[in-house]
């Protein structure tokens, strides 16, 4: 497919699990060209470059930022590296799509957002689920007022057995920032905030537990060192009066293998995301309207949106500022769990 727009040259930092999704997205995007990949694991970077036909390989991202002919970069690194590497890339004049969560700490997240603003560069967060057909269809109806005022929401991303042990960093607080809340809960939280129109958070009250992982149970793969939660639950209150209940686990003695839902309740209607359905009470006549939705490849659409936002100098679908809102809520949830108190968000 040819395009009249300028080609955006990109480099990928981190050649692990998620980086492939970015690479396939760039391959599918007629306006993007992958010219470099960097991983501290040289053989992994080389294998990645070979498989995806990327000409240049680096093991030091600073060198890649200096030497490679790139305008943009994908940051596909463990969470604790999102902040420093993204800030370096932005300061080097590159646009950045950084994987979720925005960072492992609010401190780093603030620096990322401020640097993008200072450098006038795009900072997008890898919330690919926003691009799902289900999300886009429901969002359209909600934005047109189908639910009225949304005053209550429930969101969950629960796994019975699903502690990610690969890479050895997911389960270490210092490197990940936390367990399921910051890893998969962040997807449920972001989707809910997005569908609700990003109401401003006021406070959270939360509890986290580490009960299954420390027994050496619930892991995907060989159990590894584990100092994060395996279950996080919390209540988020918003300044507009709305409330959200969030629950997320990597390991839980629950019925079934997993459970995910986003449920919204408004004055004029309620909705669930999967499958996208709207529930109404019209003159005491109850209706459930299931919506059809396009079958799409969310990661490819995400990458195409990143490239388009650079070409057209417009905000991407998932901004750094929005990623920071989720991060503030999640960090407040961890603080609330430790202090056993409601935590107010600034
Ligand atoms: N959007 C999603 O649904 C989704 C899914 C999986 C992972 N992720 C996110 O993607 C990020 C990466 O996760 P992953 O599963 O790919 O992890 P991973 O451990 O598979 O890959 C990380 C890679 O980074 C490399 N690396 C580490 N330090 C580096 C450095 N200083 N310079 C260059 N390379 C370095 C490692 O060698 C490894 O290859 C995480 O933030 C994770 O939360 C998002």
């Amino acid at each position: 497919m040819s395009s009249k727009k300028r080609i955006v040259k990109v480099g990928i930092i981190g050649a692990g699990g998620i980086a492939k999704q970015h690479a396939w997205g760039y391959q599918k995007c007629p306006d993007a060209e992958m010219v470099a990949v960097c991983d501290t694991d040289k053989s992994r970077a080389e294998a990645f470059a070979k498989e995806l036909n990327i000409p240049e390989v680096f093991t030091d991202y600073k060198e890649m930022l200096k030497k490679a002919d790139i305008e943009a970069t994908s940051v596909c690194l463990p969470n604790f590296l999102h902040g420093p590497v993204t800030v370096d890339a932005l300061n080097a004049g590159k646009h950045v799509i950084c994987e979720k969560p925005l960072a492992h700490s609010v401190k780093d997240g603030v620096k990322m957002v401020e640097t993008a603003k200072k450098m006038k560069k795009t900072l997008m967060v890898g919330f690919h689920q926003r691009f799902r057909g289900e999300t886009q269809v429901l969002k359209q109806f909600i934005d047109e007022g189908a639910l009225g005022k949304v005053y209550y929401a429930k969101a969950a991303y629960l796994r019975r057995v699903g502690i990610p042990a690969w890479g050895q960093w997911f389960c270490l607080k210092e490197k990940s920032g936390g367990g399921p809340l910051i890893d998969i809960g962040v997807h449920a939280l972001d989707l809910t905030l997005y569908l609700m129109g990003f109401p401003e958070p006021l406070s959270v009250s939360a509890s986290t537990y580490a009960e299954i992982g420390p027994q050496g149970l619930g892991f995907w793969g060989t159990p590894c060192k584990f100092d994060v939660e395996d279950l996080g639950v919390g209540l988020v209150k918003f300044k507009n009066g709305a409330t959200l209940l969030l629950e997320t686990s990597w390991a839980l003695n629950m019925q079934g293998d997993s459970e995910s839902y986003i449920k919204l309740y408004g004055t004029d209607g309620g909705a669930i995301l999967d499958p996208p359905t709207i529930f109404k009470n019209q003159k005491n006549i109850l209706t459930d309207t299931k919506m059809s939705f396009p079958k799409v490849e969310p990661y490819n659409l995400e990458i195409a949106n990143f490239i388009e936002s650079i070409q057209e100098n417009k905000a991407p679908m998932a901004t750094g500022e929005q990623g920071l809102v989720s991060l503030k809520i999640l960090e407040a949830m961890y603080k609330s769990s430790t202090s056993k108190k409601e935590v107010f968000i600034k």
Side-chain angles (χ1 to χ4, degrees), residues 54 64 92 197 223-224 251 286 294:
I54 302 172
M64 185 183 100
C224 59
L286 307 182

Side-chain angles (χ1 to χ4, degrees), residues 289-302:
T289 309
K290 258 192 196 165
M291 287 170 276
S292 61
F293 56 89
K295 300 265 184 298
V296 295
E297 291 288 343
Y299 285 108
N300 293 352
L301 293 179
E302 171 187 83

